[in-house]
Amino acid sequence: VAARTVELLDAAADLLVLGAADRAHAALDEADARLVALRRRAAGATGAGAALAVLAVGLTAVVCAGLGLVGFAAGTVPGPVIAVLALTPLAFAEVVASLPEAAVRLLSIRPALRRLRDLGEREPVVVEPAAAAGVPAPRSLQARDLGVRWPGAAVEAVHGMDLDLGGGRRVALTGPSGSGKSTVVAALLRTLPPSSGVLHADGRDVRALRADDVRAGIAWCGPWAHLFDSTLRANLALAAPGASDADLVAALRRAALGPWFDALPEGLDTAVGAHGGAVSGGERQRLGVARALLADRPILVLDEPTAHLDAATGAALAAEVLAATADRTALLVTHRPEQTPGVPRLDLGRSRSPV
């Protein structure tokens, strides 16, 4: 019910425009009715169990007290023992009273435990080297005849790709949706291993390096920058916890957010809202770019930063990204090649020629 409620609120505009709000409300009401019925059934069972437990304890106490009185009348049980016999069932009941609730909770968490166990038993997609040692953050990445396959896939999503990122070079990785751009990014970030060919970081095979050591040299901004329900300062500081306010503001200006920031009454203390709801789509993506620039890592990977923006906003952000990365080693991933004029291009939809 909670998930459906959040979904209803997040999709309110779409549901209203599509005339599907009433159906969504009806589905939520149906889910709520099922939950109420289940809760009532569980409450009835719990209440009946508690009543039986109280009855059993009370009868046991009465029987014990009765037996004590019979023994006292026969002269075999001292008077104080009668009280002990009567109170023992009550004391024991306090010890075992929480067991039914514990049993109910155990039954409710067993599916989650099963899922966690299944996850724990899965083989990791990227296998860390047995004797990995910390190395400096890489300043260059080179792919030769690279192939990458998603787990369980029969064929490679990308194959035979050559790429050289280093020395302040920028490369535009282009191609239509489904051509493998995100797969290449996953391989560079070491969330997918090469299935053929090689991927080197500063001349070393990435399979001989820890994934975190490779990622330490890469600043990444995805197609929909995630913003936490916190302040502008907190969201930017994720990339550089020790950065000063001046550093944060400088990153905002490099991402072309200077005028916007100057108009904020609360400055870096401005709340961005739940999921960044207080900022526009263009501002969200610029904040993602600012965060990546603030990380100040040798290699910058911008993965479709204009994907969810309208044409005008996307073109403006693309121009700003080009200006902000003019002196950086950067991979600019886009399905709009016209947004990266003058940048050497690797088009996954046509060829795998080296760049």
Side-chain angles (χ1 to χ4, degrees), residues 45-315:
T46 302
L52 289 174
V54 171
L55 179 61
V57 171
L59 289 176
T60 303
V62 170
V63 170
C64 288
L67 292 175
L69 290 173
V70 171
F72 178 76
T76 58
V77 177
V81 175
I82 298 176
V84 174
L85 289 175
L87 294 176
T88 296
L90 300 177
F92 183 73
E94 289 187 7
V95 175
V96 301
S98 60
L99 292 180
E101 183 180 356
V104 171
R105 289 185 178 276
L106 178 61
L107 291 175
S108 66
I109 66 174
R110 283 180 65 184
L113 290 174
R114 218 168 21 244
R115 291 192 295 270
L116 289 174
R117 185 177 62 249
D118 292 342
L119 286 174
E121 292 174 352
R122 290 185 182 182
E123 291 294 327
V125 175
V126 175
V127 179
E128 298 281 19
V135 297
R139 307 191 67 83
S140 65
L141 292 170
Q142 300 84 27
R144 294 292 178 266
D145 200 29
L146 179 66
V148 187
R149 178 185 292 112
W150 289 94
V155 298
E156 293 179 331
V158 173
H159 63 276
M161 190 195 76
D162 293 344
L163 176 65
D164 189 357
L165 278 177
R169 301 180 71 247
R170 291 186 301 181
V171 175
L173 183 65
T174 65
S177 297
S179 60
K181 301 188 299 298
S182 295
T183 305
V184 172
V185 173
L188 297 181
L189 294 174
R190 290 292 285 136
T191 56
L192 281 180
S195 52
S196 62
V198 293
L199 176 60
H200 287 158
D202 287 348
R204 298 183 61 180
D205 193 320
V206 295
R207 286 168 287 200
L209 303 174
R210 292 192 313 159
D212 283 345
D213 288 338
V214 175
R215 286 192 286 265
I218 304 173
W220 172 78
C221 175
W224 188 247
H226 183 82
L227 298 181
F228 294 88
D229 187 4
S230 186
T231 63
L232 183 58
R233 176 186 288 103
N235 275 278
L236 290 172
L238 286 173
S244 66
D245 285 359
D247 294 332
L248 302 182
V249 175
L252 290 173
R253 298 196 185 284
R254 291 182 65 191
L257 282 172
W260 172 78
F261 173 76
D262 292 337
L264 297 176
E266 298 183 36
L268 291 173
D269 293 320
T270 300
V272 301
H275 306 294
V279 301
S280 69
E283 290 160 355
R284 170 194 294 272
Q285 290 307 96
R286 288 178 175 88
L287 286 172
V289 172
R291 195 158 56 190
L293 294 172
L294 186 64
D296 196 27
R297 295 181 177 180
I299 304 167
L300 184 63
V301 177
L302 301 181
D303 186 5
E304 295 277 14
T306 66
H308 300 288
L309 306 177
D310 60 80
T313 305

